[in-house]
Amino acid sequence: MNAQVFIPADTLAIALGADEIAAGFAAEAKARRQDIEIIRTGSRGLCWAEPLVEVNTPKGRVAYGNIAPGDVAGLFEAGILNGGTHKTCLGPVDDMPYLKTQLRFIFKNCGLYDPCDIDAYLSHGGFAGARAALAQKPENIVDEVEASGLRGRGGAGFPAAIKWRTVLGASAEQKYIVCNADEGDSGTFADRLIMEGDPFRLIEGMLIAGLAAGADKGVIYLRSEYPLARKVLEKAIAVAEQQNWLGADIQGSGKAFEISVFFGAGSYVCGEETALLESLEGKRGIVRSKPPIPALEGLNGQPTVINNVITLCAVPDILVKGGAWHAMLGVGRSTGTMTFQLAGDVKYGGLIEVPFGLSLSELIYGFGGGTRSGLAVKAVQVGGPLGAYLPPEQFDTPMDYEAFAAIGAGIGHGGIVVFNENTNMRALARYAFAFCAHESCGKCTPCRIGSMRGKELLAADHPDLELVHDLCEVMVEGSACAMGAMTPIPVQSAIAHFPDEFGTRTAQAAE
Amino acid sequence: MANGFVHWGDKQALMLINQSHKAGESLTHALRSLTDVFGYIDERAITPLMQTFALSRAEILGVTSYYDDFRDTPPARHVIRLCQAEACQAVGGRELSTHLFAKTGLALGEAAKNGQVALEAVYCLGLCANGPAGQIDDKPAVHLDAAILDAKLAELDQ
Ligand SMILES: Cc1cc2nc3c(=O)[nH]c(=O)nc-3n(C[C@H](O)[C@H](O)[C@H](O)COP(=O)(O)O)c2cc1C
Ligand code: SF4
Ligand code: FES
């Protein structure tokens, strides 16, 4: 058998030279007359070790981390094809603590094979969830998802089954499954990783949602910052069509489902579900008033399920293993696993899929190893640009929806951004207002004007914090969506935990 | 063109608009496909868009102006996009932007006089564990620093 070499082909690995590394492996093998098979895979999500090259050996797959194109010749010298020792060797992948201590099911296959190789997907249990769904009544699929306790991973944590049941119960000419792949939150990349690395999982999740809700059309709203994900998804959709996992008569069941990809146009607020629908319909991405809810009047006025990428990717295993299995993972009403993403000034950043309930510090220090810079951690922002800044005193908070709500924070899409001791918290608070001003859809005055005003207020030497708080209150109360209503969270948490940085006398003296 | 886009062509534009419309797609789909091919939406597309989608000029411009991606002028030959979002700020993204402004005399969103290089802001590329991140032309870039960007600028400004 040829030696198999696995080299990721996701956006991050490519930015770090993975294409050149692959070319180097091919050339070096040829020069040495060694037969190798190079397989371009998704990423394991170990961002700190990318490009992560793996070889198949009798001991299993052995990993080599942070490979540079210039390392290739040396790796061959060291006998990489037999898992030889080299300074970059991280040992058998399955023994790496970073992976071993995770509980992956959404990401279990990401990085194992060529993302568009449907046979590889099938041989790793792919489409078993869809098979189970094809054999069931729609109500039973929804029951299973309800029993799982699955909540939306896009930010709001809303139970998926409620939306699905509403759409199932609505009678209409056409129903839709819309996948929200707008992933606009800074510090998040789980959607990107899974779309680039295991796209059939998303296709399967959407198919199951379609079967459950009685929808035969799916749309993926993909942000334009992810051009590679677009290519991978379009290819995977074409392959799924050829193999009859999408189309008019899926696997001879008589059931139909098709998926198209819409490539966004650079607007954060289009991640909000109703702005997203407006955008798909050809309009400005302005948030709609609710009611009506999208489950009753969504895309083109038809009943529509809108779910985040990761929500949908959690579904196949729920159908295979049962809702009760999923409900046992996690804590309280935060069931299943969460795909956390460690980013910013962190030593070992990457994707961490674990059941809800781990503490922030286990993630930041246990997985993350503290800062990349070596400086002390000053704060983290959890849940994207609308998430709270939390100081180290709060790092023992367990990662679950309720515990976070209790401290006035949210988990959002699971992004955790680490900031070091040199961070200027006032600049971050000001940025939160500036970002809101930039992205506001303009519908509500408190959001559109308030954010501008907030940005100006925080630019003063001694900002009038009372005015800032009043402004925040108006934004919370007078905004139609979380953009305006939650921008006060990063602002006010920064002020609450780091008051010295907001122009008090002591801070002035220190500067 | 160096930036991978083709020169504006009325015929091709009309074909793309019709394609979208025939497929039952909306205006944003048509604007997206024009942008994918030409890198921008020429003024000359507005009338055919109005006719095809039965919309007024104001309605169409309302949509194009709303989205950052829908430009009305051709992009520069080279574009450096730097991430301005929080995770990149945490590792010096802001300072890097400031450096680039000083070096080029450009602000974000501004193209150099000769149309060679433009700087653009981007808010997260999903490369947040390896920042500061950006895009140089079509290529994703991570672990950026002043030296890398200076070298790139010198290379692009030929
Ligand atoms: C300003 C704003 C931006 C949002 N961006 C996203 C996004 O990028 N991705 C996402 O899945 N949800 C986003 N949401 C949440 C969606 O409105 C919606 O709750 C979600 O798509 C529902 O899917 P889920 O239940 O599976 O989470 C955003 C919400 C707001 C207010
Ligand atoms: S809060 Fe802001 S973004 Fe949301 S609807 Fe109102 S103006 Fe638009
Ligand atoms: S914040 Fe810069 S890439 Fe995500």
Side-chain angles (χ1 to χ4, degrees):
Chain A
M1 199 181 84
N2 290 346
Q4 288 180 316
V5 179
F6 301 89
I7 304 172
D10 84 307
T11 305
L12 174 61
I14 286 174
L16 290 164
D19 289 346
E20 292 76 11
I21 293 165
F25 265 91
E28 194 68 29
K30 195 167 173 212
R32 292 170 180 262
R33 297 174 195 283
Q34 281 178 304
D35 275 337
I36 62 168
E37 184 189 354
I38 296 172
I39 298 158
R40 302 302 300 272
T41 65
S43 166
R44 298 265 194 178
L46 277 63
C47 301
W48 54 274
E50 293 288 2
L52 183 80
V53 174
E54 298 172 30
V55 289
N56 222 351
T57 77
K59 297 174 277 185
R61 278 162 75 155
V62 175
Y64 296 80
N66 300 114
I67 302 302
D71 291 332
V72 176
L75 284 165
F76 271 83
E77 273 319 303
I80 183 176
L81 300 184
N82 303 310
T85 36
H86 186 264
K87 63 181 195 302
T88 62
C89 186
L90 297 168
V93 190
D94 293 336
D95 294 345
M96 290 177 68
Y98 201 89
L99 280 172
K100 223 178 165 173
T101 44
Q102 300 193 27
L103 184 71
R104 288 188 167 192
F105 73 93
I106 294 166
F107 271 86
K108 69 178 173 223
N109 293 336
C110 197
L112 287 183
Y113 43 69
D114 172 350
C116 293
D117 179 351
I118 199 164
D119 293 327
Y121 183 67
L122 284 161
S123 71
H124 285 83
F127 288 114
R131 274 206 182 90
L134 283 166
Q136 289 180 39
K137 287 208 192 77
E139 292 78 9
N140 298 350
I141 305 174
V142 180
D143 288 345
E144 208 59 57
V145 173
E146 184 178 300
S148 76
L150 177 66
R151 292 166 70 175
R153 304 298 195 236
F158 189 81
I162 297 183
K163 293 184 186 178
W164 291 25
R165 199 177 298 286
T166 308
V167 175
L168 171 63
S171 52
E173 291 267 303
Q174 179 68 55
K175 298 178 187 178
Y176 296 98
I177 306 299
V178 172
C179 168
N180 190 339
D182 201 47
E183 195 163 63
D185 289 2
S186 166
T188 68
F189 41 82
D191 297 355
R192 177 180 71 72
L193 286 176
I194 205 84
M195 290 188 288
E196 291 178 356
D198 202 11
F200 291 122
R201 176 170 278 273
L202 177 58
I203 291 171
E204 183 177 359
M206 289 180 73
L207 168 60
I208 296 169
L211 294 169
D216 63 4
K217 279 205 166 84
V219 182
I220 301 171
Y221 190 99
L222 176 67
R223 69 196 301 250
S224 63
E225 288 81 355
Y226 288 178
L228 184 62
R230 178 192 200 178
K231 278 194 199 146
V232 177
L233 284 170
E234 283 174 349
K235 184 168 170 201
I237 289 169
V239 173
E241 284 167 353
Q242 281 158 20
Q243 300 294 317
N244 205 17
W245 282 105
L246 290 174
D249 178 20
I250 293 166
Q251 305 297 309
S253 66
K255 304 266 174 59
F257 195 68
E258 60 181 62
I259 298 178
S260 61
V261 178
F262 178 76
F263 200 50
S267 155
Y268 177 76
V269 83
C270 281
E272 195 282 335
E273 53 187 19
T274 61
L276 184 155
L277 294 173
E278 289 287 295
S279 179
L280 275 179
E281 290 178 13
K283 296 173 238 167
R284 295 158 69 93
I286 308 240
V287 173
R288 293 179 184 169
S289 309
K290 288 187 216 172
I293 54 169
L296 293 173
E297 284 180 44
L299 185 56
N300 305 322
Q302 304 297 311
T304 303
V305 168
I306 305 180
N307 276 131
N308 172 255
V309 173
I310 299 295
T311 314
L312 291 161
C313 287
V315 170
D317 280 61
I318 292 173
L319 268 285
V320 174
K321 298 179 183 151
W325 158 80
H326 188 266
M328 266 168 35
L329 299 170
V331 285
R333 295 201 298 119
S334 306
T335 64
T337 57
M338 183 71 194
T339 48
F340 294 107
Q341 301 126 87
L342 264 183
D345 188 2
V346 62
K347 197 165 175 193
Y348 302 111
L351 184 115
I352 297 153
E353 182 180 351
V354 285
F356 285 98
L358 232 66
S359 72
L360 250 180
S361 74
E362 283 170 288
L363 287 169
I364 301 164
Y365 299 108
F367 281 95
T371 60
R372 199 205 298 170
S373 62
L375 298 166
V377 178
K378 180 173 194 172
V380 297
Q381 187 180 30
V382 182
L386 307 175
Y389 285 104
L390 305 175
E393 299 84 79
Q394 293 186 316
F395 288 179
D396 55 1
T397 311
M399 304 292 305
D400 74 71
Y401 292 115
E402 277 68 39
F404 261 64
I407 60 165
I411 286 181
H413 186 46
I416 299 168
V417 179
V418 181
F419 295 87
N420 67 44
E421 56 190 306
N422 292 339
T423 306
N424 178 340
M425 297 307 294
R426 201 214 292 195
L428 285 174
R430 193 160 177 261
Y431 173 83
F433 276 133
F435 185 67
C436 181
H438 183 256
E439 297 294 339
S440 171
C441 82
K443 184 187 175 105
C444 328
T445 316
C447 169
R448 177 168 40 97
I449 308 289
S451 53
M452 292 294 283
R453 191 79 188 95
K455 185 176 126 183
E456 291 159 15
L457 281 173
L458 287 184
D461 283 347
H462 301 281
D464 184 341
L465 292 183
E466 214 168 308
L467 207 55
V468 172
H469 287 304
D470 285 351
L471 188 69
C472 285
E473 203 173 305
V474 175
M475 287 177 72
V476 170
E477 273 164 26
S479 297
C481 87
M483 183 83 235
M486 286 172 65
T487 290
I489 292 179
V491 173
Q492 290 179 303
S493 58
I495 297 175
H497 299 303
F498 305 94
D500 290 357
E501 295 189 33
F502 286 81
T504 60
R505 297 291 156 193
T506 42
Q508 286 289 306
E511 268 170 22
Chain B
M1 275 198 263
N3 53 28
F5 296 112
V6 306
H7 279 288
W8 185 267
D10 287 341
K11 255 202 191 139
Q12 196 180 355
L14 198 61
M15 200 188 76
L16 291 167
I17 295 169
N18 284 333
Q19 248 171 27
S20 265
H21 186 67
K22 274 213 193 90
E25 295 175 348
S26 71
L27 173 66
T28 37
H29 291 74
L31 297 175
R32 176 33 78 192
S33 62
L34 292 171
T35 304
D36 285 346
V37 173
F38 305 113
Y40 78 111
I41 296 151
D42 196 278
E43 162 67 28
R44 285 177 295 182
I46 307 298
T47 307
L49 284 167
M50 285 165 61
Q51 288 163 351
T52 310
F53 289 95
L55 292 168
S56 72
R57 184 181 170 78
E59 283 170 314
I60 291 179
L61 295 183
V63 175
T64 53
S65 62
Y66 184 82
Y67 296 95
D68 287 352
D69 285 9
F70 296 153
R71 313 166 44 93
D72 57 5
T73 51
R77 272 172 68 86
H78 298 289
V79 181
I80 298 182
R81 304 174 91 199
L82 269 188
C83 178
Q84 306 293 309
E86 291 91 333
C88 285
Q89 288 184 33
V91 286
R94 249 167 204 273
E95 293 73 11
L96 202 57
S97 296
T98 313
H99 168 82
L100 209 55
F101 301 155
K103 187 95 188 166
T104 58
L106 297 173
L108 286 178
E110 211 172 67
K113 294 272 178 305
N114 59 9
Q116 284 288 73
V117 185
L119 303 186
E120 282 180 10
V122 55
Y123 297 89
C124 192
L125 292 159
L127 301 168
C128 334
N130 303 69
Q135 254 175 2
I136 299 170
D137 290 336
D138 284 341
K139 293 205 178 67
V142 291
H143 298 154
L144 285 170
D145 60 26
I148 297 176
L149 287 178
D150 290 353
K152 265 289 160 198
L153 268 178
E155 186 189 315
L156 297 183
D157 214 6
Q158 296 302 310

